[in-house]
Amino acid sequence: VRGGSYNRRWNAQVLRGLQELGQIDRRQLSIDQAAGLELPIGDMEEPHNWERVGLVAIDLHEEDFFASVWEPWRLRLMGGSQAALEGVKSLLRPHADVCHILAEAYAPGPAIQERFGLVAEYIQPMRDCGRCPGCRHRNVEPPTDPPPRVPCRWIVDHAAAKGLEALIAAAPTAERLAIVITADPVAEAPAMAVELIRAGVRFFAGVQPKPPVGVAPWWFLDESDVSPGDVPPVPGLVVPAPGEPVSQAWLVASARPPDVDGRPVPIVLLVGNGTLVGARRVPVERLGALQLETAMSTLRLVAG
Ligand SMILES: [Zn+2]
């Protein structure tokens, strides 16, 4: 029979039905296998398809197989198709509860439940969407379901080098926060960034590092107005815009993500002379901040 012919589809449906009812097993034969059995294999235009069909049950030969097994099965299948068609037709009615009809259509059947267990409970779309004609008619509000805003709380296996730890220890402004002072932070930042990237700093805000080739394979960049909650969990250098006070949030260790040891990731802030720091607007010179030259020599001294 030709592909697509009515005869062929009918045969395919009968075979498929018998297979589903566990009466036969089927295996597709390759062209080589068919040729090996001396079956005609057709030509390039119309290759023949051969299947090996085996009887696995003897019910097929019982006289009432078609009346007692086949027909109820066929009616059940047709019932499902009929119900699906009714569902689609009901979408056309005014004030149709589209979300309920969709949820019904995607309800997991027994076969899906058996195979996927608990997970199958989550394949149905939500009812009462608040947006379809039925929900609007019933004054159902869309559920408030804000997108997740997950803080940076992933932990990376990347630690600060000794030089950076020494710098942090020498400038005790807040826990694992060093503030470094210079007259012109924007001009000085690139050179400091190069020194810091050698010391394991991998996050730069308000400055673009140009590290020598081979020093660091990757780093993160951000703008000068970054806040501690946006910092990735790696050591960082932040250069706030000139004249901007340093936010109190930088002094709060828990606002920063933790490093591999559970401590806040170390941050170096490079600011201009007289910058005001924290909620009490303390001039930076009155805190345990370091001058840039001292910070750079501390980094170089302990490097390696
Ligand atoms: Zn709805």
Side-chain angles (χ1 to χ4, degrees):
V1 288
R2 284 170 175 278
S5 78
Y6 181 77
N7 232 339
R8 181 175 172 131
R9 267 181 302 161
W10 175 259
N11 288 348
Q13 280 168 7
V14 171
L15 286 174
R16 171 103 197 126
L18 290 173
Q19 187 185 13
E20 254 181 61
L21 288 169
Q23 298 297 311
I24 57 171
D25 75 308
R26 309 164 63 182
R27 204 163 343 121
Q28 184 87 36
L29 292 185
S30 70
I31 288 191
D32 288 344
Q33 286 168 327
L37 293 167
E38 295 182 2
L39 295 166
I41 55 166
D43 52 34
M44 290 290 277
E45 294 283 294
E46 251 180 292
H48 292 195
N49 287 321
W50 288 98
E51 276 187 23
R52 187 197 299 273
V53 176
L55 273 178
V56 292
I58 51 162
D59 312 1
L60 207 46
H61 293 301
E62 307 276 321
E63 246 169 51
D64 63 345
F65 170 78
F66 281 94
S68 67
V69 179
W70 177 269
E71 197 56 15
W73 171 79
R74 192 181 69 88
L75 289 175
R76 209 165 55 240
L77 271 193
M78 283 178 57
S81 307
Q82 191 66 33
L85 181 61
E86 287 305 321
V88 171
K89 281 188 352 204
S90 66
L91 290 177
L92 302 174
R93 287 190 213 118
H95 313 312
D97 280 318
V98 177
C99 53
H100 287 235
I101 295 163
L102 282 177
E104 212 50 60
Y106 282 95
I112 297 288
Q113 261 161 348
E114 194 188 329
R115 177 146 183 214
F116 295 100
L118 190 62
V119 181
E121 298 304 316
Y122 298 95
I123 64 172
Q124 252 182 312
M126 208 171 51
R127 284 158 205 266
D128 291 333
C129 65
R131 294 188 174 88
C132 73
C135 285
R136 283 177 197 201
H137 186 63
R138 287 181 289 119
N139 287 322
V140 174
E141 291 284 314
T144 46
D145 186 16
R149 295 254 183 265
V150 187
C152 287
R153 284 291 180 266
W154 34 289
I155 308 248
V156 297
D157 183 14
H158 175 78
K162 278 189 205 144
L164 180 60
E165 290 295 353
L167 171 58
I168 294 283
T173 324
E175 192 185 351
R176 316 238 331 124
L177 179 80
I179 302 185
V180 176
I181 316 168
T182 183
D184 190 348
V186 173
E188 301 289 351
M192 191 184 201
V194 170
E195 208 61 50
L196 282 172
I197 207 163
R198 289 187 208 275
V201 169
R202 291 293 180 270
F203 171 65
F204 297 89
V207 56
Q208 298 245 7
K210 291 193 181 56
V213 179
V215 169
W218 53 267
W219 57 87
F220 300 93
L221 290 178
D222 209 328
E223 304 295 325
S224 57
D225 59 353
V226 68
S227 62
D230 299 326
V231 167
V234 290
L237 168 66
V238 176
V239 187
E244 282 293 311
V246 171
S247 150
Q248 176 72 20
W250 287 109
L251 307 179
V252 181
S254 61
R256 275 172 274 146
D259 70 5
V260 69
D261 297 315
R263 303 173 302 175
V265 286
I267 294 288
V268 177
L269 289 172
L270 183 63
V271 303
N273 296 328
T275 298
L276 302 176
V277 179
R280 288 188 292 129
R281 296 286 192 261
V282 180
V284 66
E285 287 79 4
R286 282 172 42 198
L287 298 166
L290 282 185
Q291 291 295 328
L292 179 63
E293 297 70 37
T294 321
M296 293 288 258
S297 44
T298 307
L299 279 171
R300 291 194 189 113
L301 206 68
V302 194

